Amino acid sequence: MRTDTGQVFKLEDYRPNDYLIPQTNLTFRLSPDATRVTALLTVERRDGVSMSAPLVLDGDGLTLKRIEIDGKKVKPSDLLASPDQLTILKPPAARRFQLLIETELAPAGNEALMGLYRSSNVYCTQCEAEGFRRITYFLDRPDILSVYTVRIEALRDEAPLLLSNGNPLDRGDLGGGWHYARWHDPFPKPSYLFALVAGNLGQLADSFVTLSGRTVELGIYVEPGKEKLAGYAMDALKRSMKWDEEAFGREYDLDVFNIVAVSDFNMGAMENKGLNVFNDKYVLADRETATDADFANIEAIIAHEYFHNWTGNRITCRDWFQLCLKEGLTVFRDHEFSADQRSRAVKRIAEVRTLRAHQFPEDQGPLAHPVRPRRYREINNFYTATVYEKGSEVVRMIRTILGAEVFRAGMDLYFERHDGDAATIEDFIKVFEDASGRDLSQFALWYHQAGTPNLTISSTHNPAAQEFTLEIEQSVPPTPSESRKRLMHIPLAFGLIGAGGKAVEYSGVEGASIEDGVIHVRKRRHMVRFSGVAERPAVSLNRGFSAPVTLSVEQKADDQFFLARHDNDAFSRWQAFNTLLTDALISAFREILGGKQPDFAARLTELAGSIAGDETLEPAYRALALALPGEADIARDIGRNIDPDAIYAAREALALAIGTANRGAFSSLYLSLADKAAFSPDAASAGRRALRNTLLDYLSLQPGGAALAAGHFQSATNMTDRAAALAVLAHRHHGSPEAIEALAAFETIYGSDPLVMDKWFQIQASVPGPQTVDTVMALTNHPAFSMGNPNRVRSLIGTFSSANQTGFHRADGEGYRFFSQTVLEVEKRNPQVAARLATALRSWRSLEPLRQAKAREALLSIANAENLSADLRDIVERTLA
Ligand code: 0A1
Ligand code: ZN
């Protein structure tokens, strides 16, 4: 485990290395405890660099076995070798030389899952961000692009399948039970994109004919016997390949494209050139084992990794500060893909919910950082919602500002200008400036300035002057090490809506530039005056979530009710209803349900009923609208002095009120939505299931709710329905015979399927209430659980700490105590996973004082542990700062 060195990496310190490595030849002789890696590197001194410049290569825990330069052994006195660095003090005078390095690795003992490791007896690698240096000494940084040729030798019985990046060259027998395969990747790439997989895997094969008529062989490799479960992933892959040709003109460039699913993986998946490695959770699916959400995730992640081939691989990042260059852009591309494959409105709402749930708290807490950070101690901790999701929103805003056509021209220019480069955010912004002729310097602050901007907006109507005024004021809150903020360019899409939902015409406007329904907010304050407006309109703001900001709007409840029925922007219509629900849950709540505003409560529950039954709305949309804001969403909106128990109680009461008022209608709608046709994972079918399961959630609080959910569980013909019913039983009828029976039945059926058992762990880890910490503790001893497997840890510990407000934040601090111990236990094996878990406490300062003190104690107990990893120390210290 790499312990903290305290070193801080700074963007302004970037400079190219003195050396390049144009070619890399690797030979692996695989064995679980003593794999030999021979790296033959062509090293080239850069022009103008002094002959005496030492060559300093990165390593991480390496054992050096042999080192030669141009075929001759290097004298120990000409070297400085440690497990974490190799310095050639006096490189040869020639500009180019061959450096041979032999290292020995023990993949079987590699529990950090970085570098070369074993997952269920399959050898595999993970090199992003800095895992390649755990394989051999190298200039392990993304601006060192090299052409790789790889030879893999292994025992045929142990590893009949030998894969690496690029195209296959040849394969053959070596005698004594050994065989080999060679691969060559013609595209120069950074070391983080290197991959090797060797083992016994089953294959699902297919092919794809590209735009220009080339046939690409496609392979998805999974645990033998599970090939059929890869069918949906293969279908998603082919759709992604086609879509990238149509939407971005991007064609695939190798003869083969392989995907391997492994069961031990730190993240979702990895875009290694020509050889994507996936967490098996994002490949394997059928109706019996995967929910509709799983299918949608598989589609999105398959697409994401595939799209990286151009945005990430062909054009890579100059340094890790530029991570959003590939990640934000690729998330934007996968969002657009899913929007085209499914329902655009539903997809957009889901994206915004995710952004608010994950990125907003990050941006509003101690871990806030710009989309392009300027500092890091541990790069692994910057694979964040800010870099990914906010990074994607920034790209979306560029498209909003420039329009789809100019945006596409900018993207074309990006591919043309930077293919083969290790590029920067400045390069990216420049192509859009050049394609549009616009100055994007103020806009670029979105990359450089952390924090969620807020817009305070009020409106007035002067009937006599027929003038409607919007007063808009922007502010950006201070964030760690950035107290003063500059004014941003915020594209605010809006609509003025009059009687019957019609757009209100205006004859003129002043106070801000407005294009295609977008107000360009650039100053601190704008008074936007619309003339020729006779009737007071309702204002629909931040339509389509055009900017990732928060709004403080004084809007009458009447307007919100009106917009929730009439806004013709689907996102904003959803938002209006969601705002009403949030208001009901927060400020007005006691008065509303306490009977002081009976009218509001009645109108809200009536509106919920009318949305549920509105046949003009797609079922998936109705399901999203009816889903109450989550406890964490409500907490975020309250902002401070959070008492999770009070929030939970309020939410349950609102669910009961809506269900009670609509019981009959919800019941008949529920019945009418039962799946009649054969199962299909398509968006429309999934939407019907989502609506039906949302209704079940409401009905479960009504008399007979437990029996209804138990019936739903027993008659389920797919995992979506089964898991939804199990969650309702476990959460709403905790401890009931129905819940106990269903949990046991689920365990009996799926006990030997780890991915399905993850759902069982998740459902139990999220049961509200103080008793859940004991359940979770007990489940850590369940035979299906393992502290060494990231998926298991995330399902049980991750769900408990990030999705169980009343359990984790138990008033006596037991949740935190269990959590801090567990984080330290996970850290011993896998620092990366531990560090990510630890972010669950990032919003500790918004808790009420007693919980706050206990959360701080837990954080300190982690911070004070000995030999903390770089990953965990970085998170904990920033969280406490
Ligand atoms: N580039 C991948 C994410 C990723 C990052 C780090 C990893 O190391 C364990 C693995 C994957 C993506 O965006 O999909
Ligand atoms: Zn990515």
Side-chain angles (χ1 to χ4, degrees):
M1 181 168 88
R2 201 154 35 128
T3 47
D4 189 35
T5 59
Q7 193 177 354
V8 176
F9 297 88
K10 298 179 182 160
L11 172 62
E12 68 259 29
D13 290 345
Y14 173 84
R15 72 175 193 91
N17 198 271
D18 290 342
Y19 291 89
L20 300 167
I21 307 179
Q23 286 189 40
T24 299
N25 279 266
L26 299 172
T27 300
F28 288 82
R29 192 161 172 92
L30 294 171
S31 103
D33 301 309
T35 288
R36 280 291 166 126
V37 184
T38 312
L40 184 61
L41 312 177
T42 303
V43 181
E44 203 175 281
R45 189 180 298 109
R46 247 179 223 280
D47 283 344
V49 170
S50 146
M51 268 177 13
S52 61
L55 169 64
V56 185
L57 301 177
D58 306 298
D60 182 357
L62 289 174
T63 306
L64 178 65
K65 289 289 176 183
R66 182 156 71 113
I67 175 158
E68 292 174 8
I69 292 182
D70 292 331
K72 293 199 197 74
K73 270 187 87 166
V74 181
K75 281 190 278 172
S77 59
D78 290 345
L79 276 181
L80 281 177
S82 78
D84 299 341
Q85 201 168 62
L86 177 66
T87 306
I88 317 273
L89 295 164
K90 285 188 219 123
R95 216 168 76 84
R96 242 176 198 250
F97 56 93
Q98 299 290 315
L99 174 61
L100 181 143
I101 297 170
E102 199 174 299
T103 49
E104 190 176 281
L105 321 174
N110 180 352
E111 289 188 290
L113 314 183
M114 287 296 282
L116 177 69
Y117 65 96
R118 299 253 286 174
S119 173
S120 308
N121 295 326
V122 174
Y123 292 92
C124 64
T125 55
Q126 172 54 41
C127 292
E128 186 175 10
E130 296 177 338
F132 193 72
R133 63 184 67 183
R134 291 164 64 92
I135 296 173
T136 188
Y137 294 99
F138 202 75
L139 293 175
D140 190 16
R141 43 187 284 169
D143 60 348
I144 295 293
L145 305 184
S146 193
V147 172
Y148 284 67
T149 307
V150 177
R151 177 184 167 99
I152 311 168
E153 301 177 358
L155 283 168
R156 195 187 286 276
D157 283 352
E158 191 184 53
L161 176 77
L162 306 172
L163 302 174
S164 191
N165 313 92
N167 296 320
L169 284 180
D170 56 11
R171 51 187 306 140
D173 198 71
L174 293 170
W178 287 76
H179 72 147
Y180 80 95
R182 290 197 314 138
W183 291 80
H184 177 73
D185 180 1
F187 294 94
K189 64 168 175 287
S191 50
Y192 82 85
L193 290 173
F194 166 78
L196 169 156
V197 171
N200 181 18
L201 292 162
Q203 182 196 25
L204 178 67
D206 208 324
S207 64
F208 179 82
V209 179
T210 70
L211 189 64
S212 66
R214 279 188 315 102
T215 299
V216 180
E217 300 302 333
L218 309 176
I220 300 188
Y221 295 89
V222 298
E223 199 182 297
K226 296 199 169 164
E227 296 82 353
K228 280 214 181 74
L229 296 177
Y232 185 78
M234 181 63 89
D235 179 56
L237 173 61
K238 290 190 288 180
R239 286 185 280 122
S240 305
M241 295 178 86
K242 184 117 185 68
W243 185 89
D244 212 16
E245 295 185 339
E246 288 166 357
F248 284 93
R250 297 299 105 198
E251 190 176 345
Y252 187 64
D253 48 13
L254 291 164
D255 304 336
V256 300
F257 185 78
N258 288 320
I259 290 175
V260 178
V262 298
S263 48
D264 302 87
F265 199 74
N266 282 350
M267 309 276 271
M270 180 62 214
E271 71 264 23
N272 317 296
K273 181 81 187 188
L275 178 55
N276 288 184
V277 176
F278 269 64
N279 185 326
D280 56 1
K281 167 182 167 65
Y282 296 119
V283 172
L284 304 174
D286 67 4
R287 77 165 184 184
E288 180 58 33
T289 56
T291 62
D292 291 322
D294 293 326
F295 281 104
N297 282 332
I298 290 170
E299 179 180 81
I301 297 177
I302 290 274
H304 179 96
E305 305 311 328
Y306 174 73
F307 297 156
H308 266 314
N309 190 53
W310 274 96
T311 50
N313 302 4
R314 289 288 285 258
I315 306 179
T316 194
C317 303
R318 186 191 72 174
D319 51 64
W320 291 121
F321 298 101
Q322 321 296 329
L323 184 57
C324 63
L325 178 74
K326 72 179 178 84
E327 296 305 347
L329 176 56
T330 305
V331 170
F332 172 74
R333 277 151 53 69
D334 84 56
H335 282 177
E336 282 300 292
F337 167 74
S338 295
D340 283 346
Q341 304 289 310
R342 294 167 173 258
S343 152
R344 189 160 276 273
V346 168
K347 174 69 182 146
R348 188 67 188 136
I349 295 165
E351 283 159 18
V352 174
R353 288 187 60 155
T354 305
L355 184 85
R356 287 181 176 150
H358 300 289
Q359 201 276 328
F360 277 22
E362 185 166 87
D363 229 356
Q364 294 162 7
L367 301 180
H369 56 273
V371 172
R372 186 181 69 184
R374 276 180 298 277
R375 305 253 176 293
Y376 64 76
R377 274 165 72 182
E378 176 50 65
I379 189 58
N380 288 336
N381 291 334
F382 281 79
Y383 289 80
T384 60
T386 297
V387 168
Y388 277 66
E389 318 301 327
K390 189 175 179 183
S392 162
E393 293 302 318
V394 175
V395 176
R396 182 176 296 280
M397 286 189 284
I398 297 179
R399 191 183 63 175
T400 301
I401 290 170
L402 302 187
E405 258 178 50
V406 179
F407 175 77
R408 173 66 199 271
M411 285 301 300
D412 289 348
L413 184 57
Y414 178 63
F415 293 124
E416 188 190 313
R417 190 181 280 175
H418 294 291
D419 185 12
D421 287 355
T424 62
I425 283 301
E426 281 73 16
D427 294 328
F428 185 67
I429 294 169
K430 184 77 168 50
V431 296
F432 294 107
E433 295 195 319
D434 290 352
S436 66
R438 289 196 192 218
D439 174 2
L440 293 175
S441 50
Q442 188 186 10
F443 179 82
L445 282 177
W446 281 103
Y447 282 108
H448 309 320
Q449 196 161 267
T452 309
N454 180 263
L455 294 176
T456 303
I457 305 179
S458 59
S459 64
T460 44
H461 181 241
N462 180 342
Q466 300 211 339
E467 191 175 77
F468 182 71
T469 307
L470 279 180
E471 184 176 346
I472 305 173
E473 191 171 328
Q474 68 159 294
S475 63
V476 188
T479 49
S481 73
E482 279 181 21
S483 49
R484 289 179 60 84
K485 302 284 184 174
R486 290 156 67 193
L487 294 172
M488 317 262 299
H489 175 187
I490 300 171
L492 182 71
F494 78 107
L496 303 183
I497 305 175
K502 291 221 179 65
V504 167
E505 303 289 330
Y506 49 87
S507 54
V509 62
E510 59 184 50
S513 76
I514 296 187
E515 292 168 296
D516 298 331
V518 174
I519 303 174
H520 292 272
V521 177
R522 291 167 173 276
K523 299 192 294 183
R524 177 162 317 282
R525 204 160 151 268
H526 290 261
M527 293 285 278
V528 189
R529 289 187 181 29
F530 299 88
S531 45
V533 182
E535 299 269 317
R536 192 185 72 85
V539 206
S540 162
L541 288 165
N542 209 14
R543 293 187 132 189
F545 202 69
S546 62
V549 299
T550 51
L551 299 181
S552 308
V553 192
E554 290 244 335
Q555 208 157 18
K556 296 193 176 73
D558 280 350
D559 278 359
Q560 297 285 11
F561 276 107
F562 176 77
L563 292 170
R565 287 185 198 272
H566 297 295
D567 199 325
N568 56 7
D569 179 90
F571 171 81
S572 293
R573 183 170 174 190
W574 168 83
Q575 180 64 72
F577 183 55
N578 197 262
T579 303
L580 284 167
L581 292 171
T582 305
D583 288 351
L585 285 162
I586 303 175
S587 51
F589 183 73
R590 273 188 205 88
E591 295 139 59
I592 293 164
L593 293 166
K596 287 189 194 151
Q597 285 190 36
D599 180 45
F600 185 100
R603 285 172 77 190
L604 191 63
T605 53
E606 192 273 327
L607 180 55
S610 101
I611 290 174
D614 187 340
E615 298 286 337
T616 66
L617 298 169
E618 34 181 348
Y621 181 95
R622 290 186 258 162
L624 275 177
L626 291 173
L628 293 183
E631 291 156 57
D633 298 323
I634 303 164
R636 205 176 50 251
D637 278 329
I638 296 173
R640 41 183 284 278
N641 206 14
I642 300 302
D643 173 359
D645 295 332
I647 292 176
Y648 174 75
R651 194 174 179 275
E652 290 298 286
L654 184 59
L656 182 63
I658 291 176
T660 305
N662 294 290
R663 191 169 158 203
F666 280 10
S667 292
S668 38
L669 186 55
Y670 169 83
L671 289 173
S672 75
L673 284 162
D675 254 345
K676 289 180 193 85
F679 177 87
S680 157
D682 70 87
S685 313
R688 282 192 298 277
R689 284 187 286 274
L691 180 55
R692 182 162 172 265
N693 288 326
T694 304
L695 295 169
L696 173 69
D697 200 36
Y698 281 107
L699 292 169
S700 71
L701 290 173
Q702 300 298 314
L708 181 73
H712 194 105
F713 180 83
Q714 281 148 14
S715 60
T717 56
N718 58 74
M719 182 50 71
T720 303
D721 292 341
R722 184 160 294 144
L726 186 63
V728 162
L729 285 169
H731 297 172
R732 292 258 156 76
H733 298 280
H734 173 67
S736 69
E738 289 90 343
I740 292 167
E741 198 180 307
L743 281 167
F746 195 97
E747 184 187 10
T748 308
I749 310 172
Y750 302 109
S752 60
D753 187 331
L755 290 178
V756 184
M757 285 303 279
D758 283 344
K759 302 180 194 307
W760 190 78
F761 287 129
Q762 267 168 25
I763 286 169
Q764 296 184 78
S766 49
V767 172
Q771 74 295 332
T772 299
V773 65
D774 299 321
T775 316
V776 172
M777 229 181 278
L779 285 172
T780 58
N781 296 317
H782 191 277
F785 183 78
S786 152
M787 280 291 178
N789 179 280
N791 287 355
R792 297 307 88 74
V793 169
R794 284 186 285 252
S795 297
L796 188 60
I797 317 298
T799 302
F800 174 66
S801 55
S802 64
N804 188 337
Q805 300 295 309
T806 51
F808 179 53
H809 299 288
R810 181 171 135 163
D812 64 2
E814 274 311 299
Y816 305 143
R817 227 198 326 266
F818 162 71
F819 176 72
S820 56
Q821 283 163 6
T822 312
V823 166
L824 288 170
E825 197 179 330
V826 173
E827 191 216 20
K828 285 186 215 129
R829 303 162 181 255
N830 193 326
Q832 222 179 87
V833 169
R836 198 162 271 264
L837 272 185
T839 63
L841 273 176
R842 67 183 166 200
S843 301
W844 66 281
R845 281 201 178 82
S846 55
L847 293 161
E848 52 80 21
L850 291 176
R851 284 178 171 88
Q852 217 179 101
K854 295 203 157 35
R856 184 163 177 276
E857 257 172 55
L859 282 163
L860 283 172
S861 77
I862 299 178
N864 293 333
E866 276 175 17
N867 293 324
L868 223 52
S869 62
D871 308 60
L872 190 52
R873 178 164 302 286
D874 172 43
I875 292 292
V876 175
E877 288 187 356
R878 279 194 285 143
T879 304
L880 281 165

